[in-house]
Amino acid sequence: MLSIWTAALAIALLGVSSWVGLKAANVKSELQAATALLPSLKKDIAANDAAAAAATVDSLVQHTKAARDAANDPVWKATALLPWVGPNLQAAAEVAISADDVARLGAAPLVKAFQSLDWKSLAPSADGMNLTPLKTAEPQVQAAAHAVRESSRRLNNIETANLLPQVSEPLIDARDKLSSLQSELDSAADAARLAPDMLGAERPRRYLLLMQNNAESRATGGIPGALAVIHVDKGKLKLESQTSAAALGAFIPPVPIDAEQQAIYTPRVGRFMQDVNLTPDFATTAKTARAMWEKSSGEQLDGVLSLDPVALSFILEATGPVPITDPIVQQIGSELPAQLTSKNVVQTLLSDAYAKIDEPKLQDVYFAAAAKEIFGALSSGTTDAKRLMDALSKGVEERRILLWSNSTAEQDTLGRYPLGGMISGSAIAPAQFGIYFNDGTGAKMDYWMQRTVQVVKDCTRDGYREVAVRVTSTNTAPSDAATSLPAYVTGDGAFGVPAGAVQTNVVAYGPVQADIDTVVRDGVKIPFAAQRHSQRGVGTTTIRLAPGESTTLEFNFGHIVQHSTPQIAVTPTTQAVKDVILAPQPSSCE
């Protein structure tokens, strides 16, 4: 009799095993089929084909539902209670459930929101922008972000140490993908929430525009030589109150800034509009610039927007060529291109304008006119909305477009992203190193500077990280720059720097709690100023390069508690960021 029961039990176990194995195969095949649809979904969205995207999501949901149903089978759930095999089945079920939640509660609402958006209506025009669909889409994007966040939380709570590789590896991969997706959706949800109001959906907004000139470097890009007020009402853009930073004069007493930054960058940050961005912290720059504008004009503005000529070149890729139409400006820039394009705007504004227009005040007139023409093209209604979004995204990614809001709630959100230009907080990678450049020449020679930044040592000693960041700078100006370039460009020795030479204050930031141990120039240790800003170690040194000269600085950071991959932030220059930040070349601790 015992042998009969033993045989029956063996047959039952074999049946259960076969059934669970069949369901496991179903889960795997359905999830693989769902994954295979993701490239098609991305392609549909990129092609602005809402109908195809909706059909792809329908297929996606069918596959994830089938996987979830297979993992929800009663025999599967009962077997999941057993030791050893149980945790593996439970983990596989969680992956299937999460995949279905992301498809049904994440992808489906997103595509629904995508269907409701008319990309053409999101491009600025003479009549403004239709912001209603964006406001309507916000709850759907928020719901999708919540679904992905919850799925990510569930998968992160699963202990993987004792799982079979066939289960743990897909689980870890799903975690990584969900983490990336969660970040993207959180960003989209915040953008959908903030953008309508900041674009004047409820009331007109007015922002101070800082046009950063990379030919004279400042930590966030370049000297804010040209200023304007942007009036935004229901997405309709209008440029007002154009002037120059020099026209505002000196502020005595200076606008106050915190003691840490005053020690590093001197009170000049609050004394001259041209120096508000000696600090790399854009929130400080923006608050200071807004206060200066209020003191000068009596106007209280809603925020501050900053961009540089390279960002304008990105925008011109979306607008197409923009002609200079003002007859007076045409006469001022008679030797300059008749129209600005994505190819010529950087050289025109940062080099040729100085060579062809002798009078600095007329240079300011030309810069202001160029900005007005480009913003006018943006508001013409002919701009490609999708290309404009891509251009703005690229500008933000390279830290060439920065935004600050006087609203505490809005600024709290902006500060979580690179757009906010913060040097502390959640927008900063744990192991971020910052290399920033401030001109010490008092001229426009940075157009000729070429720089690279690279991690050349990354190792651990006694439990702490040691990282060395190498900064190579080259003055590519012609050998006869002192005479062949305009005095306004070289400075003509006005601040003690020989004409043609470039003097730069190089400021290096380590991660929180890190120290800068040494600075080495061309193989020799040199003195440097050591300070702290928001708990980050800061080191500053000054270099001067004659035409054709090059030098290398190595900032050696120690006492680093963060063990994540080093990330580099740099001052945006006329170079593409990809050409400045080189791939790491770590060495061992010796």
Side-chain angles (χ1 to χ4, degrees):
M1 179 66 70
L2 182 60
S3 62
I4 294 175
W5 285 110
T6 301
L9 179 60
I11 292 172
L13 289 175
L14 181 62
V16 168
S17 177
S18 298
W19 181 255
V20 171
L22 177 63
K23 292 298 179 181
N26 287 344
V27 169
K28 181 179 180 180
S29 64
E30 294 293 351
L31 290 180
Q32 286 177 334
T35 301
L37 288 171
L38 295 179
S40 297
L41 181 58
K42 290 182 179 180
K43 182 179 178 181
D44 295 337
I45 292 175
N48 200 22
D49 192 338
T56 301
V57 165
D58 286 343
S59 298
L60 184 71
V61 170
Q62 290 177 16
H63 288 296
T64 58
K65 181 180 183 302
R68 183 177 192 146
D69 290 344
N72 202 36
D73 177 79
V75 177
W76 179 295
K77 295 174 71 174
T79 309
L81 300 175
L82 298 175
W84 187 75
V85 71
N88 288 280
L89 294 179
Q90 291 172 11
E94 284 292 350
V95 172
I97 292 168
S98 296
D100 191 45
D101 283 350
V102 170
R104 289 185 305 105
L105 306 177
L110 280 178
V111 169
K112 186 176 180 181
F114 177 67
Q115 286 178 293
S116 70
L117 291 176
D118 178 3
W119 286 100
K120 291 183 179 179
S121 72
L122 294 179
S125 70
D127 298 322
M129 298 164 60
N130 182 10
L131 299 171
T132 301
L134 192 59
K135 289 180 71 74
T136 302
E138 191 253 335
Q140 296 165 323
V141 181
Q142 293 281 6
H146 177 75
V148 171
R149 196 178 303 117
E150 286 301 301
S151 295
S152 182
R153 181 186 59 80
R154 285 203 307 269
L155 294 190
N156 286 335
N157 287 336
I158 298 173
E159 177 57 56
T160 60
N162 298 318
L163 298 180
L164 292 171
Q166 297 92 320
V167 177
S168 65
E169 290 174 3
L171 171 60
I172 293 171
D173 182 59
R175 283 178 176 175
D176 293 341
K177 285 185 169 60
L178 278 184
S179 176
S180 175
L181 180 60
Q182 178 185 331
S183 176
E184 292 173 2
L185 285 179
D186 285 343
S187 300
D190 285 337
R193 177 168 53 85
L194 291 188
D197 287 346
M198 294 194 74
L199 288 169
E202 298 299 324
R203 65 171 179 84
R205 295 288 188 103
R206 301 177 78 240
Y207 301 95
L208 178 63
L209 173 64
L210 305 180
M211 282 294 302
Q212 297 202 47
N213 185 329
N214 313 90
E216 184 173 349
S217 63
R218 293 291 186 269
T220 61
I223 185 173
L227 311 173
V229 172
I230 302 177
H231 180 276
V232 188
D233 186 9
K234 294 180 175 57
K236 183 178 180 180
L237 305 177
K238 184 169 65 173
L239 226 54
E240 304 174 337
S241 307
Q242 289 180 272
T243 186
S244 68
L248 272 61
F251 290 82
I252 302 174
V255 174
I257 60 172
D258 65 81
E260 282 188 329
Q261 294 187 82
Q262 183 167 300
I264 302 170
Y265 302 107
T266 80
R268 291 183 65 88
V269 173
R271 184 170 290 132
F272 300 102
M273 180 67 83
Q274 298 95 316
D275 292 329
V276 291
N277 55 341
L278 286 172
T279 170
D281 184 59
F282 186 68
T284 299
T285 292
K287 284 185 285 188
T288 306
R290 179 183 182 272
M292 287 179 172
W293 187 266
E294 183 179 351
K295 286 177 178 292
S296 177
S297 68
E299 294 179 301
Q300 293 187 345
L301 302 179
D302 296 296
V304 178
L305 172 67
S306 175
L307 47 79
D308 68 6
V310 180
L312 291 180
S313 75
F314 300 157
I315 293 172
L316 284 166
E317 291 177 1
T319 64
V322 172
I324 300 295
T325 58
D326 187 317
I328 295 177
V329 178
Q330 287 177 341
Q331 184 176 357
I332 292 172
S334 59
E335 296 184 61
L336 297 174
Q339 60 181 13
L340 297 174
T341 71
S342 61
K343 302 297 184 183
N344 71 18
V345 66
V346 173
Q347 181 174 331
T348 298
L349 296 183
L350 299 186
S351 179
D352 294 349
Y354 298 120
K356 306 298 183 182
I357 304 174
D358 293 332
E359 176 59 46
K361 288 185 179 180
L362 295 181
Q363 293 166 1
D364 290 339
V365 170
Y366 184 84
F367 294 147
K372 185 175 182 179
E373 297 283 12
I374 293 172
F375 272 84
L378 272 177
S379 301
S380 67
T382 60
T383 302
D384 185 309
K386 185 70 168 57
R387 295 182 71 177
L388 177 60
M389 297 297 178
D390 291 341
L392 296 177
S393 296
K394 187 176 181 181
V396 171
E397 181 183 352
E398 295 198 0
R399 303 172 187 267
R400 301 183 185 280
I401 299 176
L402 301 169
L403 179 63
W404 175 84
S405 172
N406 192 49
S407 160
T408 300
E410 290 175 352
Q411 180 56 28
D412 285 345
T413 300
L414 291 173
R416 297 201 295 265
Y417 298 100
L419 178 64
M422 306 286 283
I423 60 92
S424 62
S426 58
I428 304 302
Q432 189 195 78
F433 297 81
I435 302 296
Y436 306 108
F437 309 109
N438 280 315
D439 174 68
T441 316
K444 300 294 186 287
M445 286 295 295
D446 273 297
Y447 177 80
W448 299 96
M449 290 297 294
Q450 295 287 301
R451 301 180 174 100
T452 60
V453 179
Q454 183 180 36
V455 173
V456 293
K457 183 177 77 173
D458 180 8
C459 59
T460 302
R461 193 199 305 271
D462 299 328
Y464 290 106
R465 200 95 166 268
E466 295 181 1
V467 173
V469 180
R470 178 180 296 161
V471 183
T472 302
S473 303
T474 304
N475 181 353
T476 68
S479 59
D480 62 349
T483 54
S484 64
L485 296 179
Y488 186 72
V489 172
T490 66
D492 203 26
F495 295 95
V497 179
V502 180
Q503 184 161 298
T504 307
N505 299 314
V506 184
V507 187
Y509 277 60
V512 170
Q513 299 184 23
D515 297 321
I516 299 185
D517 295 330
T518 60
V519 178
V520 177
R521 179 174 181 179
D522 299 329
V524 179
K525 287 184 181 180
I526 60 172
F528 66 98
Q531 285 130 337
R532 302 199 80 78
H533 183 189
S534 294
Q535 301 183 57
R536 299 178 66 180
V538 179
T540 305
T541 191
T542 301
I543 59 174
R544 180 185 292 180
L545 299 174
E549 282 190 336
S550 181
T551 194
T552 294
L553 298 171
E554 285 192 10
F555 293 90
N556 294 282
F557 297 86
H559 202 261
I560 301 169
V561 298
Q562 297 84 356
H563 290 276
S564 52
T565 303
Q567 302 292 318
I568 299 291
V570 298
T571 292
T573 66
T574 56
Q575 297 170 260
V577 171
K578 65 179 179 61
D579 295 330
V580 176
I581 302 177
L582 305 182
Q585 185 185 357
S587 62
S588 60
C589 286
E590 294 180 355

